Amino acid sequence: MNGALLALIFMADVNFAGSIFVNQPTLVSDPTDDARELLGDTSYGLNAEANFKVVAEVQEHVSASAKVCYGCHGFMADMAYVDWTVVEPFNVRVGRFPVPFGEFYLRHDPANHRTTTKPLPYEMGRMLRRNQYNLAVLPEPYPDNGVEFFGTVSTERAEVSYSAYAVAGLKGDASIGDLDFIRSRSEYVADNNRTPAVGGRLTLAFPNLPVPSWRWFALGASAMWGHYDDDAALSYFLGGLDLYTRVQKVNLRGEVMFRRTEIPDRPEAFRHVLRDLFVQRDGFYAELDGPVLDRFEWLVRFDGFRRDGAVPTVSSLDSTDSRILRYTGGINVIPLTGIKLKLSYEYWHFTDFPAAQVVHTGLVGTF
Amino acid sequence: MTLSISSRLSTPGACLAGLALAFALGGSLFLACGSAPNSIDVRGYPPDMQARYDLFEKRCTRCHELERPLNARIGAGGWSKYVRRMARHPAAGISVEEQREIAIFLEFHAERRRDAQRQALEGGAP
């Protein structure tokens, strides 16, 4: 498929874009004196990610996109899809694409969000103690293979956007009863159980509000369901609600979400008595950001995560109900076109571990 | 409180030095910079273009900064296709009419930029 996509791109009107992000996490308080366990391997030192995207207009109603990312886990295809606009409110996307869940997925590129780290429910390599929690709700980016139908219907006052999809789905390990995000990304990029995951997203937006300074108000809801194990016996279900509003140039974004993951009825695999045959993960974030003067941006964020359920024997978590709260403040400097310096401070509060503080220094370049 | 630094930095002083370096880098670049990168002053533009800029600012900043389209190097006449592609993102919510208006603004702005660059080159010639 990638060869055909490349052929389409060379024949068509083509645009290139990309970004490079370098981040230095600096742990300024580590009561456990074990930075590696706290930060994990990917955040232990300087880390970098890069994206390179090619978009081609094949004909009036068809375009092709391909995007390659380089990050902590090497090179991977983040996009390789064809879009077909059947009629304006009905589009079909086929290939490998970012699965639409929540408000953040369109902004997961470091050039498109103002913080150095992602919201906690979506965090990946920069989540503290991620090995103990096996990450949060849905690490982004989450690209997958499949088909998506999407579109927008507008009226004078409001617009409704929809998206429905079937993709290969997240992969996991039945022996520990959880998703395995490394396996989801690095193993053969194929469905491990021949059972597609399905989901959808609906947003209701009000772009023309009665108060001139109130620029946007949008509400969204997302859901996803699938099986993660090779035998298609254990399922996961994600649900979420999101809000975006903009007053003048100040953005407020917030999301709440959960993932319920079925676990096997194998008491020997867990450290606690099995009350329920699932583990629930809840997450939220609220973020406020805006520009100040011409070359600076400010941001504050409050986010959290909760893991509720039996703990696998392979994890060092003690409690069946573990929570994290994080407080973030940051300043960005935009010295030159295409360059942004991101500085942020994060205070992490854990119910199961001592608190930690991290300063992130990031530099993002776009082209 | 134990103070430890990840990666190769090993002392609090090194940590502060790293942050100071980051600020110094940002400050130096800031002092060296030209026009504001993330917005433009459209007060000198015709009123219809100011209205289109307003629409562009409102629609496009939902997903990304204005800097990316404002400084993109798209050839003359290429903006309508580019905006149409952007509008295809699910939930971008840019109607066909709005795509047209935004593309007109970006063509106008790009032409102004090209004029300014031409004038700068001609003015700088011996």
Side-chain angles (χ1 to χ4, degrees):
Chain A
M1 189 188 74
N2 287 350
L5 198 63
L6 280 175
L8 280 175
I9 284 168
F10 281 119
M11 289 160 53
D13 180 12
V14 180
N15 285 116
F16 300 93
S19 68
I20 298 165
F21 179 55
V22 179
N23 180 55
Q24 170 66 50
T26 305
L27 198 57
V28 291
S29 78
D30 178 12
T32 64
D33 205 17
D34 187 354
R36 190 173 289 278
E37 185 181 339
L38 187 60
L39 290 163
D41 289 333
T42 50
S43 267
Y44 190 64
L46 187 82
N47 51 63
E49 56 185 278
N51 302 286
F52 182 67
K53 183 180 169 186
V54 183
V55 184
E57 192 73 19
V58 180
Q59 52 141 295
E60 181 75 10
H61 299 290
V62 179
S63 68
S65 304
K67 183 176 176 182
V68 177
C69 298
Y70 171 78
C72 298
H73 32 76
F75 284 97
M76 64 179 289
D78 191 35
M79 292 179 185
Y81 61 76
V82 173
D83 276 342
W84 173 31
T85 302
V86 182
V87 289
E88 207 51 49
F90 183 74
N91 303 268
V92 181
R93 177 170 289 182
V94 181
R96 184 170 179 78
F97 52 83
V99 178
F101 184 91
E103 202 269 340
F104 183 73
Y105 86 101
L106 280 175
R107 301 180 296 114
H108 72 256
D109 187 315
N112 292 346
H113 60 264
R114 286 180 166 165
T115 47
T116 44
T117 54
K118 295 162 192 160
L120 191 47
Y122 293 120
E123 190 50 277
M124 212 188 286
R126 298 184 186 98
M127 177 181 178
L128 298 191
R129 300 197 180 281
R130 70 175 182 284
N131 291 333
Q132 281 96 333
Y133 292 92
N134 190 23
L135 295 168
V137 181
L138 180 66
E140 285 281 0
Y142 167 40
D144 209 343
N145 303 345
V147 59
E148 178 186 357
F149 305 100
F150 64 94
T152 300
V153 180
S154 302
T155 66
E156 183 90 2
R157 287 211 160 271
E159 59 191 35
V160 176
S161 298
Y162 67 91
S163 180
Y165 55 84
V167 293
L170 294 160
K171 296 174 190 171
D173 185 347
S175 67
I176 60 163
D178 206 353
L179 304 182
D180 182 339
F181 286 97
I182 294 175
R183 191 180 173 209
S184 295
R185 287 175 160 81
S186 61
E187 211 177 55
Y188 298 114
V189 186
D191 192 347
N192 63 325
N193 50 31
R194 295 199 293 180
T195 307
V198 293
R201 174 162 169 75
L202 202 61
T203 56
L204 176 63
F206 301 92
N208 302 309
L209 293 156
V211 181
S213 58
W214 194 10
R215 312 281 284 169
W216 261 100
F217 182 72
L219 294 167
S222 309
M224 187 193 307
W225 177 85
H227 289 93
Y228 64 89
D229 61 318
D230 293 347
D231 297 330
L234 300 168
S235 69
Y236 59 92
F237 179 71
L238 289 97
L241 297 172
D242 54 89
L243 174 150
Y244 167 66
T245 191
R246 180 178 172 90
V247 178
Q248 294 285 21
K249 293 185 175 180
V250 175
N251 299 301
L252 171 65
R253 302 175 200 270
E255 293 193 49
V256 290
M257 67 189 76
F258 71 90
R259 168 160 54 92
R260 179 168 286 201
T261 312
E262 284 186 342
I263 57 176
D265 191 4
R266 292 178 56 235
E268 72 277 12
F270 296 92
R271 298 171 61 189
H272 305 94
V273 175
L274 297 181
R275 284 182 293 138
D276 303 300
L277 288 179
F278 63 84
V279 170
Q280 174 98 5
R281 288 155 188 272
D282 305 316
F284 75 90
Y285 75 89
E287 182 182 322
L288 204 58
D289 64 61
V292 55
L293 304 176
D294 281 338
R295 298 179 181 281
F296 296 89
E297 296 167 344
W298 59 271
L299 62 99
V300 289
R301 181 181 63 193
F302 175 47
D303 51 5
F305 167 66
R306 176 190 184 200
R307 184 195 182 283
D308 185 15
V311 177
T313 51
V314 294
S315 170
S316 61
L317 278 183
D318 284 329
S319 169
T320 56
D321 186 355
S322 300
R323 299 167 194 221
I324 305 173
L325 290 176
R326 179 173 64 172
Y327 305 85
T328 306
I331 292 283
N332 298 334
V333 186
I334 311 167
L336 293 169
T337 296
I339 298 286
K340 184 184 287 187
L341 180 67
K342 295 180 171 186
L343 301 164
S344 64
Y345 164 82
E346 296 179 353
Y347 179 87
W348 293 69
H349 171 78
F350 300 93
T351 54
D352 288 30
F353 304 100
Q357 300 170 64
V358 185
V359 170
H360 286 276
T361 308
L363 194 66
V364 61
T366 55
F367 56 93
Chain B
M1 178 194 297
T2 308
L3 198 66
S4 69
I5 309 299
S6 66
S7 82
R8 294 181 183 176
L9 302 177
S10 57
T11 64
C15 164
L16 293 173
L19 285 175
L21 182 67
F23 277 108
L25 176 67
S28 306
L29 292 170
F30 176 71
L31 291 172
C33 56
S35 59
N38 209 17
S39 63
I40 51 171
D41 185 352
V42 294
R43 283 175 296 183
Y45 284 15
D48 58 332
M49 288 299 168
Q50 291 184 29
R52 288 178 177 122
Y53 174 77
D54 192 58
L55 177 69
F56 158 67
E57 194 265 346
K58 186 162 83 171
R59 287 302 202 181
C60 300
T61 52
R62 185 173 178 192
C63 298
H64 57 75
E65 309 288 348
L66 287 188
E67 180 187 10
R68 299 193 81 169
L70 283 177
N71 298 296
R73 299 188 189 285
I74 305 293
W79 276 108
S80 60
K81 285 181 181 174
Y82 195 90
V83 174
R84 192 189 316 140
R85 275 199 289 272
M86 287 287 120
R88 281 203 186 114
H89 282 299
I94 306 175
S95 68
V96 176
E97 177 59 23
E98 287 172 337
Q99 290 171 34
R100 200 179 69 84
E101 295 295 312
I102 291 169
I104 289 171
F105 169 77
L106 287 167
E107 289 286 354
F108 176 82
H109 172 67
E111 185 56 38
R112 282 245 172 158
R113 254 180 64 190
R114 283 191 289 270
D115 285 347
Q117 284 166 351
R118 262 196 303 270
Q119 283 170 12
L121 281 174
E122 287 164 5

